[in-house]
Amino acid sequence: MGVLVGKQAPDFTAAAVMADGDIVEDFNLKSYLKDSYGLVFFYPLDFTFVCPSEILAYSNRVPQFEEKNVKVVAVSVDSQFSHFAWRNTEPKDGGLGPVKFPMVADITKQIARDYDVLIEQDGVALRGTFLIDREGVVRHQLVNDLPLGRNADEALRMVDALQFHEENGEVCPAGWQKGEEGMVADQKGVAEYLGSHSEKL
C-alpha cells in the first residue's frame, strides 16, 4: 500500500455525476478543487451495502464541510450511468437520493490505481479517504478494508486539526477536538501539555 501523505494528490479527469444531477464527461479534480481543500473518498461499488451508509453520512455533512472550505468527491469503478441510477433511487429502496457532491466514474480503474487503493483481483477499490490541502498535497489518508465503514465525523475532525495547525503552528495531540488546546512542538511544549492532560489521554 502506497503512502501519499506529503505528496501531490494524483490529478484525474473522468466522467462524473455532479451534485445537481448533471452528467459531465470531463470532471477534473484539480480544477474542481481550485483553492479549496478536498476530501476524496473511494468506495467499492454502487448498489451495495456499507457504501450507501458512508455516502449518505458524507452527504449529510456537506454543509459542515463547506463551512470549512472543503469539497467532497466520491469515486468508484462504476459508470456515470450507474451513479445516476443509484442517485435516482430512494434510500428506502436501497438508493442514495440526491447526493450533494460529485460521484466520479473510474471505469478504467486508473484513478484507484493512482491512489493505490485498487484490489486488482476483485476490480474494486478499498475504502480509501484522502484529505487534500489547498496546495494539492495529501495531508491525511485512511484506508479501510471492505467490511469496515468509515466515520464522517472523524473526517471533519481531521480537517479541523489540519486547519488549526495551519493557523496556529501548533500540533494536535491524541483525540484533539476543535476548541481544545494544541501543543507547541518542542520539549517544553510537550511537557506542559502532558503535565495537565496526561491522565485524560
Side-chain angles (χ1 to χ4, degrees), residues 41-58 86 94-96 127 144-151:
F41 74 96
F42 292 80
Y43 65 93
L45 286 170
D46 291 346
F47 293 100
T48 52
F49 317 110
V50 176
C51 299
S53 68
E54 293 184 312
I55 293 167
L56 290 174
Y58 283 120
W86 204 21
L96 299 174
R127 301 184 189 284
N144 287 9
D145 202 357
L146 302 184
L148 308 177
R150 287 162 284 198
N151 186 331

Side-chain angles (χ1 to χ4, degrees), residues 15-27 32 59 62 66 72 80 83-85 87-88 97-104:
V17 183
M18 304 303 288
D20 62 5
D22 286 346
I23 295 176
V24 299
E25 299 298 326
D26 58 351
F27 175 89
Y32 181 71
S59 185
V62 160
E66 288 178 341
V72 179
Q80 61 270 40
H83 291 337
F84 184 83
R87 290 178 84 260
N88 283 282
V99 171
K100 301 183 183 79
F101 45 73
M103 298 178 70
V104 175

Side-chain angles (χ1 to χ4, degrees), residues 19-154:
D20 62 5
D22 286 346
I23 295 176
V24 299
E25 299 298 326
D26 58 351
F27 175 89
N28 177 260
L29 179 67
K30 188 174 182 179
S31 296
Y32 181 71
L33 295 183
K34 294 182 183 175
D35 297 322
S36 300
Y37 298 85
L39 186 81
V40 176
F41 74 96
F42 292 80
Y43 65 93
L45 286 170
D46 291 346
F47 293 100
T48 52
F49 317 110
V50 176
C51 299
S53 68
E54 293 184 312
I55 293 167
L56 290 174
Y58 283 120
S59 185
N60 289 341
R61 288 162 179 77
V62 160
Q64 294 167 261
F65 282 110
E66 288 178 341
E67 287 175 4
K68 304 174 193 298
N69 190 28
V70 181
K71 292 181 177 177
V72 179
V73 179
V75 186
S76 82
V77 299
D78 305 275
S79 74
Q80 61 270 40
F81 308 110
S82 177
H83 291 337
F84 184 83
W86 204 21
R87 290 178 84 260
N88 283 282
T89 303
E90 291 295 322
K92 65 182 179 62
D93 297 318
L96 299 174
V99 171
K100 301 183 183 79
F101 45 73
M103 298 178 70
V104 175
D106 184 19
I107 295 294
T108 67
K109 304 177 176 60
Q110 190 58 50
I111 304 171
R113 285 191 186 96
D114 289 345
Y115 281 79
D116 204 14
V117 293
L118 184 69
I119 306 173
E120 289 284 354
Q121 64 271 27
D122 296 331
V124 299
L126 293 162
R127 301 184 189 284
T129 310
F130 299 84
L131 174 59
I132 301 167
D133 71 14
R134 290 169 294 177
E135 302 301 319
V137 175
V138 176
R139 302 299 297 274
H140 168 72
Q141 77 179 60
L142 174 73
V143 182
N144 287 9
D145 202 357
L146 302 184
L148 308 177
R150 287 162 284 198
N151 186 331
D153 292 322
E154 174 65 5

